[in-house]
Amino acid sequence: MRIAVDLTSLADNFSGIERMALNIARELLEINREDEYYLIFKREIHPDFVCYQEEPHVKFRVLPEKNKLWFYQITLFRALKNLDADIFLFLAFPAPFFLGKKKMINTIHDMGCWDCPETMKRKMVVYFRLMHRNIAAKSWKILTISKFSKNRILKHLNVSKEKLQVVYLGVSENLYGVSPESWDAIRERYGLPEKYFMCLSTLEPRKNMKLLVDAYGELTEAETEGCALVLAGRKGWKIDELLQTASKKNRKNICVTGHVRDQDLPELYRHAEFFVFPSIYEGFGIPPLEAMAAGVAVICSDIEVLKEILGSHAVYFHSGDQESLKKSLKGFLSGNMPKPSAESLIQYSKKYSYKDAAVKIMALWKN
């Protein structure tokens, strides 16, 4: 069996979607050496896959980059159209629109373009609605990353339950390791305060960072207990206003790091007093699970999908409710609200595994 895997997204901004593609692809290469894999990259082979260049069951194709839309709909389409593969696997973004008559496994991570279109650029809402309808019609199988997302797909798209497969995401193995670099060097790189709690995500509207900044800004000096707020992650759409607001509240010690390198993430999590995730919409929610893998207690919004993934191991506040969030923050900052043990959080996080996800995906063409 010949499996073509689109990994071209790894050359762009690295978020949860790209991390899923990278980890599942690597697990597939490790657990399944009977099939042959064609890995498709943009610009260059991603560093995490260079080690497979001598493996007989792995072949590479690197495509030149032009305009992003042109690349996905024309360059990638041409390359895949002429590729002799039995299965075409898309783990990050949908297959090119005109790629028909291929046995495709596509991934739909969430239905945000229908459920919360106000948090996206209008042109992206139109684009993803069009692409999702297209792959719903053409795909052999569709992967999604939670039962919540599966139910939303069934609501919005004309697709059978049999075509959908829920594959939970996992935690990257480096979250359980120790950084080779000193904590002092990492602190200096991001300008981190000595004592802080943190939030990590792409800074964009549906992550609801404004609620967190406003809630923290209303706490008194005594209530913050000298604990700063760290906002980590790359800038997304409509975020400049938030960053200006955070800048004005420097007296409250709000630190905005920008993009954080993967190798530094474990230490940022481990040194945090706790982790906060105020998102109003997710397909899965990797950051709070990663925080748990680092043994850090989590406060998050009570949206359906986070309850599905995190269960009773997180402290929930009412989504969008600033007073409810402030109450939880005060509870953790004062020590009046008990936190789960680090050991219990780490153990719970191991329930989610990229290896298990890869086994489940591989079974689609093995059975």
Side-chain angles (χ1 to χ4, degrees), residues 1-67:
M1 187 79 74
R2 295 179 299 275
I3 319 298
V5 186
D6 172 29
L7 294 174
T8 56
S9 65
L10 301 188
D12 298 322
N13 295 318
F14 214 81
S15 63
I17 290 174
E18 291 79 20
R19 187 167 283 109
M20 169 192 173
L22 184 151
N23 283 285
I24 290 179
R26 288 192 64 181
E27 292 292 348
L28 284 171
L29 299 184
E30 291 295 328
I31 66 176
N32 178 24
R33 294 173 178 269
E34 298 172 0
D35 294 323
E36 190 171 47
Y37 288 89
Y38 292 89
L39 306 185
I40 318 299
F41 294 97
K42 178 165 51 176
R43 292 197 300 271
E44 62 181 3
I45 298 171
H46 188 277
D48 282 36
F49 293 89
V50 170
C51 60
Y52 294 100
Q53 286 182 298
E54 303 301 320
E55 295 286 345
H57 70 303
V58 183
K59 299 184 184 302
F60 296 87
R61 181 78 183 273
V62 179
L63 305 179
E65 181 185 19
K66 291 185 179 180
N67 170 275

Side-chain angles (χ1 to χ4, degrees), residues 181-190 271:
E181 195 168 7
S182 73
W183 172 235
D184 286 342
I186 295 172
R187 267 192 68 193
E188 184 177 351
R189 178 173 297 122
Y190 300 104
H271 285 83

